[in-house]
Amino acid sequence: MFRNQYDTDVTTWSPAGRLFQVEYAMEAVKQGSAAIGLRSKSHVVLACVNKANSELSSHQKKIFKVDDHIGVAIAGLTADGRVLSRYMRNECINYFYTYESQLPVGRLVVQLADKAQVCTQRSWKRPFGVGLLVGGLDESGAHLYYNCPSGNYFEYQAFAIGSRSQAAKTYLERKFESFMGSSRENLIKDALFALRETLQGEKLTSSVCTIAVVGIGEAFHILDQETVQALINEFEIAGEEAAAPDQAGVDEPPAAAAGDQAAPGDEGAAPMDM
Amino acid sequence: MTKQQANWSPYDNNGGTCVAIAGADYCVIAADTRMSSGYNILTRDYSKIIQLADKSVMASSGFQADVRALQKVLASRHLLYQHQHNKQMSCPAMAQLLSNTLYYKRFFPYYAFNVLGGLDNEGKGCVFTYDAVGSYERVGYSSQGSGSTLITPFLDNQLKSPSPLLLPAKDAVTPLSEAEAIDLVKTCFASATERDIYTGDKLEIIVLNASGIRQEYMELRKD
């Protein structure tokens, strides 16, 4: 994407029918560190890479508990993510106050998407610069959704966002058919494997990642460091130093057109939403 | 032409009695389970007690619709607190929140007479007693509701040291053991049930201590 005369305002269309500011917002998501989600019939696992800016600082919180039955992992502008998490928490609390039952995940993501859409159609606002992987449980089962800055959302069996997420997606595409019937432990194992793919050879330890689980009979919670490290050791996923074959050449092309998954090399076309 | 008076009241009194006693490392909260309206019994099996947080239990008599609304508001506020602070609310914090929530409706009050019991930050028992608009005080024991006038003088006599009769109170909490306090509560209700028509049916007792929370029931006279 290159700068042009139609990208100053979110309320300006390009002649090709694109809103560049919205697409730039989606770029912000791609710059954030990776976040991964997978689900089975009864559980959803969210995993993310936690990179601290320097050795001196703590790392940013990227996974938030929204309610006992819903959690969210974010990539992009974490401040925007924090604000949206607060909104989601309030919505869940208010719904429970009125109806004395849990807010269904599908309803929450629609509200979130509508909120994001507003920011794509007001000249005095800017789109949210964060992508959200919303994982939760309701009467109709376990769900994983991806909410985009554009206001779109999709349901997924498994998905990854953020930098080097393509590596994780490649791994997930290979294994996703088995997820629906997966056990909780295997689902977490697959999340760790997928996460390792995004680290490009760096060692996977519990200090660089965060894992959270929600399931039937299991409230949403973030696994503590010892548990995660024990799982990593158990699955022997510490990671190889040499680049594995399926990691070659999947780094995001820095300024090229269509995003991660659309038809490659077609710069004129609007990227289909991730 | 005399001025027309309101013949409809937004309030009703569903009766019942609540008691709480604080000990060195425990707290006992109890309430009867009778819900009435006028001279009628609506149900013999309604709980006036709710656990608001790990270490906070509230018992409320008065208008149960307002009590239920108050419980919901506090539960929602506690959830919000947990999200923001990543921990449970302490009992003294909940006490302040309850007071603020009640005063918020100073000009259309919650018709609820509350007793909040639990463990403070040091693990000692604590009891907070309220009026309908949020005036509150930490005490060693308290009783609210239709049977309170019968129970309070008895507790003043039995729990001598935390009693405000010797102002200032000699101890903040009663030196009684947990079992003795529970027995005392049962005695209180058995007697109150005899003389107060709005108290009876069943007694629900909640005990909060370092090992967690426990619930007990005792049958009361049903007349």
Side-chain angles (χ1 to χ4, degrees), chain A residues 65-67 89-90 93 97 100, chain B residues 68-69 72-73 76 79-80 83:
Chain A
K65 175 169 173 167
V66 167
D67 203 346
R89 285 168 176 171
N90 270 329
I93 289 175
Y97 182 92
E100 300 220 5
Chain B
R68 185 81 192 102
K72 285 170 67 135
V73 168
S76 295
L79 204 43
L80 205 54
H83 281 144

Side-chain angles (χ1 to χ4, degrees), chain B residues 17-29:
Chain B
T17 310
C18 306
V19 167
I21 300 179
D25 60 351
Y26 66 88
C27 188
V28 177
I29 302 100

Side-chain angles (χ1 to χ4, degrees), chain A residues 89-191:
Chain A
R89 285 168 176 171
N90 270 329
E91 290 301 301
C92 286
I93 289 175
N94 290 334
Y95 187 93
F96 186 83
Y97 182 92
T98 310
Y99 299 104
E100 300 220 5
S101 79
Q102 311 271 40
L103 177 57
V105 197
R107 300 263 189 92
L108 181 60
V109 294
V110 174
Q111 287 173 251
L112 203 51
D114 287 348
K115 199 171 160 68
Q117 191 279 340
V118 168
C119 296
T120 68
Q121 213 176 5
R122 304 280 184 273
S123 60
W124 62 89
K125 288 184 183 251
R126 63 156 177 84
F128 286 106
V130 64
L132 300 112
L133 281 171
V134 183
L137 223 59
D138 57 33
E139 279 176 1
S140 53
H143 299 279
L144 174 69
Y145 291 91
Y146 173 55
N147 277 73
C148 206
S150 63
N152 268 336
Y153 68 97
F154 297 96
E155 185 165 2
Y156 286 94
Q157 190 68 44
F159 200 49
I161 56 177
S163 69
R164 293 190 233 133
S165 57
Q166 186 55 54
K169 273 191 262 189
T170 313
Y171 174 86
L172 295 171
E173 274 163 25
R174 274 202 329 258
K175 306 287 294 306
F176 80 94
E177 265 148 351
S178 65
F179 288 166
M180 211 49 178
S182 238
S183 72
R184 176 186 181 277
E185 284 61 41
N186 280 336
L187 208 63
I188 299 178
K189 178 174 102 176
D190 280 317

